[in-house]
Amino acid sequence: MSDSRTILVADDDRAIRTVLSQALGRSGYQVRATSSASTLWRWVEDGEGDLVITDVVMPDENGLDLVPRIKRVRPELRVVVMSAQSTFMTALKAAQRGAFEYLPKPFDLKELMAVVERALAAPQAPQPAEDTGEDGNERLPLVGRSPAMQEIYRTVARLTTTDLTVMITGESGTGKELVARALHDYGRRRGGPFVAINMAAIPRELIESELFGHERGAFTGALNRGIGRFEQAAGGTLFLDEIGDMPPEAQTRLLRVLQEGEFTTVGGRNPIKANVRIVAATHRDLRQSIRQGLFREDLFYRLNVVPIRLPPLRERLEDIPLLARHFLDRAKSSGLPMKQLSLEAVERLKGHAWPGNARELENLMRRLAALYPQETIDADAVTSELQEAEPPAEAGARGPETLEQAVERHLKAFVSAQKDGLPVRDLYDRVLAEVERPLLRLVLGATRGNQIKAAAMLGLNRNTLRKKIRELELPVVRGLG
Ligand SMILES: Nc1ncnc2c1ncn2[C@@H]1O[C@H](COP(=O)(O)OP(=O)(O)OP(=O)(O)O)[C@@H](O)[C@H]1O
Ligand SMILES: [Mg+2]
């Protein structure tokens, strides 16, 4: 299968050089291996080799720094970077400097061989090295070195050189928004705005005008023309958070915009060109929502161009020490005292199930930093704080979230999703309608649509109930079940 192509390997670890030489040799490739970056550079300058596999940390030079230089003198030569220093930044730099692929160590030999085949087979469209100029010890936005996170870093890093639509899924608190921001902050559109809109936090009848804007007089309360998020995000990234909660009409409209690349405002006629990179996120299982008829399948496929699934924290317990450290550092930079964790405390953290994922860990670290007097946090402190915060379902003692608490949570999310305060009119009525609708549905369901009984249960006059049913456009169903 081989036409005897030569692979240049640079790694200061003799064992790796041996393993690679043997494996590549068995597949019929010629291999030249060195422990030094300068020897590799000489070979490249001399025009040798069809592919480079290089380590990052070598005694004389950093392999990552070599990548743009190689790309300059031999743009067609593919470079595969491998590193044990497997942070998000390594993956990111490898991608942005024009490496063909990045492999965190320890790598799987089969995977490496597959990468080599791809690198040698793929058409040679020279990718420009996109050096961001950033360097050194930037603050890492994403923390964790588990294999699952490595995979995420590689995907995110590669995506920063594209405008592809991304769908991030994962349980609550797994870092979906953080990944969306990283895609923007390190991507091609980093000079433009990052605009987020949370579908779950906006009253459903306002979503379309929030997304696409509205003309003056388009609906009651639209006193002026309103700019939508699509327009605000022009040149940048539009983050559609909780996309699984998007109402059906808005889904239809969004699908059309994605298909046609342009949109019109609510009440407007002139099409406006959409110039956004879309990143969507949800904690829901969208395939199930599709089966339930709650999410459009065609929209799903439009958005799911590149799926990223963030693993729950319990699937990557090995990341807990680094994450805990990271959150304690963050707590410190927000003015809380510096704390350490004892080894037992870390073990205790690893034993927890983390239903709230990274956010739960972050909150716990903040609480411990704020409340715990000793500098070193021990296992007992962790245990008692974890019990303290036990979710109601498990603890039972605290009782479930009350309606008031739930409403407050939703309202806060709604308020914080508004960029410039609360531009909404009729807020009082709108919010009450959100509560009235499910209440009336529930009571009408319980009374099988009997409005006399329902009115009695609600303590409402029958005419008032009838009026509300009309206003809220509730279906009138009689004799259910
Ligand atoms: N890998 C990570 N490294 C560092 N911090 C993280 C990581 N993952 C999550 N966090 C932090 O945990 C918190 C929750 O993350 P984020 O808000 O991105 O989660 P989410 O998946 O969007 O959650 P939700 O579904 O509830 O909206 C944030 O403060 C974020 O900075
Ligand atoms: Mg989120």
Side-chain angles (χ1 to χ4, degrees), residues 206-379:
L206 283 188
I207 285 192
E208 291 179 50
S209 111
E210 285 290 323
L211 275 174
F212 308 112
H214 60 262
E215 297 304 314
R216 191 180 153 158
F219 49 83
T220 333
L223 296 185
N224 293 304
R225 180 169 191 274
I227 288 195
R229 304 291 160 92
F230 260 87
E231 222 169 323
Q232 286 170 6
T237 304
L238 180 61
F239 177 42
L240 303 174
D241 203 0
E242 304 298 357
I243 188 87
D245 295 35
M246 196 177 211
E249 323 81 62
Q251 288 180 31
T252 306
R253 195 162 178 142
L254 176 63
L255 176 69
R256 232 179 14 245
V257 171
L258 298 183
Q259 283 166 342
E260 287 161 18
E262 50 185 38
F263 61 95
T264 48
T265 58
V266 175
R269 238 172 273 143
N270 297 335
I272 304 172
K273 247 197 141 27
N275 172 18
V276 295
R277 193 254 182 101
I278 304 257
V279 178
T282 181
H283 69 280
R284 291 187 195 283
D285 176 354
L286 283 185
R287 293 182 194 271
Q288 192 187 335
S289 304
I290 292 170
R291 282 194 297 275
Q292 294 170 332
L294 298 173
F295 202 82
R296 290 187 66 125
E297 187 169 16
D298 40 12
L299 178 60
F300 173 75
Y301 286 113
R302 277 272 161 186
L303 293 171
N304 201 45
V305 179
V306 183
I308 296 183
R309 178 190 166 268
L310 287 180
L313 193 51
R314 63 183 169 279
E315 281 177 21
R316 49 185 184 102
L317 293 174
E318 67 263 50
D319 286 344
I320 285 181
L322 269 180
L323 271 172
R325 170 84 271 131
H326 171 75
F327 290 139
L328 285 175
D329 287 347
R330 277 245 296 257
K332 178 172 178 286
S333 52
S334 70
L336 291 168
M338 186 61 189
K339 301 283 175 192
Q340 314 283 338
L341 286 163
S342 75
L343 287 176
E344 298 74 34
V346 173
E347 283 313 305
R348 177 70 192 82
L349 290 174
K350 285 187 175 174
H352 183 59
W354 301 109
N357 295 296
R359 179 179 297 111
E360 185 184 358
L361 180 60
E362 176 171 22
N363 291 342
L364 177 70
M365 289 302 118
R366 286 192 66 86
R367 273 204 314 280
L368 286 167
L371 301 177
Y372 196 69
Q374 278 85 335
E375 203 201 301
T376 300
I377 298 166
D378 61 24

Side-chain angles (χ1 to χ4, degrees), residues 183-201:
L183 281 166
H184 175 78
D185 290 346
Y186 299 94
R188 303 206 292 202
R189 289 169 166 262
R190 62 183 168 276
F194 176 87
V195 175
I197 176 168
N198 185 334
M199 304 302 162

Side-chain angles (χ1 to χ4, degrees), residues 141-143 149 171-178 242 316 323 326-327 330 358-359 362:
L142 291 158
V143 175
M149 286 310 286
E171 290 175 13
S172 182
T174 45
K176 295 187 291 295
E177 179 154 5
L178 203 61
E242 304 298 357
R316 49 185 184 102
L323 271 172
H326 171 75
F327 290 139
R330 277 245 296 257
R359 179 179 297 111
E362 176 171 22

Side-chain angles (χ1 to χ4, degrees), residues 88 92 95-96 130-132 134 156-164 179-192 194 235-237 277 279:
F88 172 59
L92 183 73
Q96 297 196 328
E130 236 182 88
D131 201 333
T132 52
E134 294 155 36
V156 171
R158 241 180 278 149
L159 284 170
T160 57
T161 62
T162 77
D163 266 353
L164 293 174
V179 166
R181 279 195 178 271
L183 281 166
H184 175 78
D185 290 346
Y186 299 94
R188 303 206 292 202
R189 289 169 166 262
R190 62 183 168 276
F194 176 87
T237 304
R277 193 254 182 101
V279 178

